Amino acid sequence: MFDDSLVREAFFPVSEYSKRQIVAAGKILREQIRTEDVSDARLVDLINKNGIDVFEAFRIAHNWRDSHMRPMLAVRNQLSAKLRTLNRESVSAARLKRMHSIRRKMQTRPITLYQMQDIAGCRAVVESCGVVSEMAKFYEREQQKHIIVNVDDYITNPKADGYRSHHVILKFQGEGEAAAYNRQTVEVQLRTKAQHSWATAVEAIGLIKHENIKGGGGTAEWRRFFELMASEIAYDEDLPPCPSAPDERNLIREELREVSGSLGAVSMLETLNHSFGGFEKFGNRVARYFLLQFDYKTQKLSIEPFFEFSAGSERYIEAEERQTDRNSVLVEVNGIAELKAAFPNYFLDVQAFTERLQAAIAPKTVSRNPEVRQKAEANWSQAWINDWQNWRQKRRGD
């Protein structure tokens, strides 16, 4: 049932711990602690109850996360093969969840480490909602390799913040030596390029502002901005707007102009729209794993390619433990060429989203002459930047 032809030569960790030990490790990591906090008196009770110390809890958690890698690769291989039959413009990628995100999720939801279903995640970005529907049918009706645990259609029924994507949770099913991974689950996310551009902008702004906008953090004004933009994109894809958005598109755009002007959104997004240099240093090497590290202070991205998962995983753990001022993630793609397309948020590439925003809040064109229209739009864009600068100066004055 499991075709591991692409991974059989590689070494991938198997979980070395029982369900009880994994749950116990999660209980300790749920607390706001670090490995250097072992002398904190409040940990004594937890350690005594669960029978493991803080260091062991981290070892168990990292081993449990790493044991999801082989199932994740198998699911992405299946995903990529199906995509090739439907849409050659699609991009797929995979990642292991950041330990910080794992801990935060346990802190905000009544869930154990063992129950977490999105430690491994695969993503497909496709051309249209039609392709998403075909892929969804494939998982629900055709694929027989893995067990479907849950399906969430956030495209038809978006989250309150505007997030749209079709999620399928699969429980890995393997035979022979691969059966050792049958406890692991993998989340598959299916979304369109427009929906991906929205999610990318949310994460990029979150990185720059060092706020978890994706998780409901940040200011109410930024969250409202993204709700409105999600609804604007929904109209282009013939989907229902967010529940909190106005019923009519002209009202959405009217409020969007006001909110984006107050935030200086156009200017900020255009500042982020820069190309990332440095791909050339990798040459033609075909690495499969990449450690991305975004430095909050310098707002620069570093990339390390790895040809073996074990080496990448070791550096990933080291980066998470030592680089507290960085956002690090280990991802798996087909090669360096697809890296930016799959994870544009780490490159602060929000060009597609910015263009949609500008089109949504631009005044109606009064001329069919392309030169006149282009000049008017350029003047409008500069006007919005000037308005934002004036607003910012006034705010500082207050």
Side-chain angles (χ1 to χ4, degrees), residues 340-361:
K340 187 175 180 180
F343 297 93
N345 51 300
Y346 279 89
F347 297 85
L348 304 182
D349 182 1
V350 291
Q351 182 176 352
F353 180 85
T354 306
E355 291 173 355
R356 283 184 174 273
L357 171 61
Q358 290 176 321
I361 63 178

Side-chain angles (χ1 to χ4, degrees), residues 241-311:
C242 296
S244 63
D247 294 332
E248 299 180 16
R249 190 174 195 178
N250 63 314
L251 296 178
I252 291 175
R253 290 186 167 186
E254 183 179 333
E255 186 180 353
L256 188 57
R257 291 186 187 98
E258 179 181 348
V259 175
S260 62
S262 176
L263 290 169
V266 172
S267 179
M268 180 175 290
L269 290 165
E270 287 184 335
T271 300
L272 301 185
N273 281 327
H274 63 280
S275 59
F276 178 82
F279 281 113
E280 63 277 358
K281 71 181 179 181
F282 296 110
N284 295 320
R285 291 181 296 170
V286 188
R288 187 161 189 177
Y289 311 98
F290 296 88
L291 179 64
L292 308 183
Q293 294 190 74
F294 182 85
D295 191 307
Y296 290 116
K297 294 181 179 179
T298 65
Q299 296 186 357
K300 299 294 183 181
L301 177 72
S302 65
I303 304 175
E304 290 183 69
F306 297 93
F307 301 93
E308 295 182 357
F309 170 72
S310 56

Side-chain angles (χ1 to χ4, degrees), residues 40-324:
D40 193 322
R42 69 191 177 88
L43 297 181
V44 175
D45 187 49
L46 267 176
I47 292 173
N48 289 338
K49 284 182 179 179
N50 293 286
I52 57 175
D53 61 23
V54 176
F55 294 99
E56 182 68 6
F58 274 96
R59 281 195 293 270
I60 293 172
H62 283 301
N63 172 255
W64 178 242
R65 182 180 65 178
D66 284 354
S67 71
H68 285 72
M69 190 66 196
R70 185 168 178 176
M72 185 181 77
L73 283 178
V75 170
R76 193 176 88 82
N77 288 343
Q78 181 191 48
L79 171 65
S80 299
K82 183 61 179 179
L83 283 173
R84 285 193 294 270
T85 68
L86 295 176
N87 182 257
R88 293 187 179 277
E89 299 301 318
S90 62
V91 175
S92 66
R95 64 95 184 100
L96 290 178
K97 200 174 189 71
R98 298 166 56 224
M99 191 57 65
H100 176 73
S101 298
I102 290 174
R103 295 178 67 187
R104 185 172 60 203
K105 188 167 186 176
M106 288 190 295
Q107 290 162 4
T108 57
R109 300 183 186 182
I111 187 174
T112 70
L113 179 60
Y114 189 85
Q115 293 170 327
M116 198 171 296
Q117 298 177 332
D118 62 345
I119 291 177
C122 298
R123 174 186 299 159
V125 181
V126 301
E127 191 67 31
S128 67
C129 290
V131 180
V132 171
S133 296
E134 288 298 315
M135 288 301 301
K137 291 177 183 176
F138 165 72
Y139 281 106
E140 294 169 18
R141 302 177 186 177
E142 299 176 30
Q143 77 87 25
Q144 302 293 326
K145 288 187 176 182
H146 312 296
I147 298 172
I148 295 178
V149 177
N150 189 50
V151 176
D152 285 308
D153 184 1
Y154 295 122
I155 292 181
T156 304
N157 303 296
K159 292 185 177 182
D161 63 359
Y163 175 83
R164 276 189 159 93
S165 185
H166 190 94
H167 291 190
V168 181
I169 303 294
L170 299 174
K171 186 173 183 180
F172 178 81
Q173 295 295 288
E175 295 180 343
E177 64 173 290
Y181 300 91
N182 285 359
R183 294 191 295 172
Q184 279 76 353
T185 57
V186 180
E187 179 185 67
V188 178
Q189 298 179 356
L190 310 170
R191 61 175 65 155
T192 68
K193 290 181 179 179
Q195 293 158 7
H196 190 50
S197 74
W198 180 91
T200 294
V202 170
E203 294 195 25
I205 293 294
L207 282 173
I208 290 297
K209 296 175 68 63
H210 203 172
E211 297 174 348
N212 184 26
I213 299 176
K214 178 181 177 181
T219 66
E221 198 168 22
W222 270 112
R223 293 197 302 272
R224 182 58 175 168
F225 168 77
F226 283 114
E227 289 174 17
L228 294 167
M229 272 303 294
S231 299
E232 167 65 22
I233 292 172
Y235 268 98
D236 286 337
E237 296 190 320
D238 196 25
L239 295 169
C242 296
S244 63
D247 294 332
E248 299 180 16
R249 190 174 195 178
N250 63 314
L251 296 178
I252 291 175
R253 290 186 167 186
E254 183 179 333
E255 186 180 353
L256 188 57
R257 291 186 187 98
E258 179 181 348
V259 175
S260 62
S262 176
L263 290 169
V266 172
S267 179
M268 180 175 290
L269 290 165
E270 287 184 335
T271 300
L272 301 185
N273 281 327
H274 63 280
S275 59
F276 178 82
F279 281 113
E280 63 277 358
K281 71 181 179 181
F282 296 110
N284 295 320
R285 291 181 296 170
V286 188
R288 187 161 189 177
Y289 311 98
F290 296 88
L291 179 64
L292 308 183
Q293 294 190 74
F294 182 85
D295 191 307
Y296 290 116
K297 294 181 179 179
T298 65
Q299 296 186 357
K300 299 294 183 181
L301 177 72
S302 65
I303 304 175
E304 290 183 69
F306 297 93
F307 301 93
E308 295 182 357
F309 170 72
S310 56
S313 175
E314 184 176 341
R315 281 286 294 118
Y316 190 19
I317 294 173
E318 178 186 348
E320 289 182 312
E321 292 179 345
R322 298 184 180 181
Q323 303 292 346
T324 57

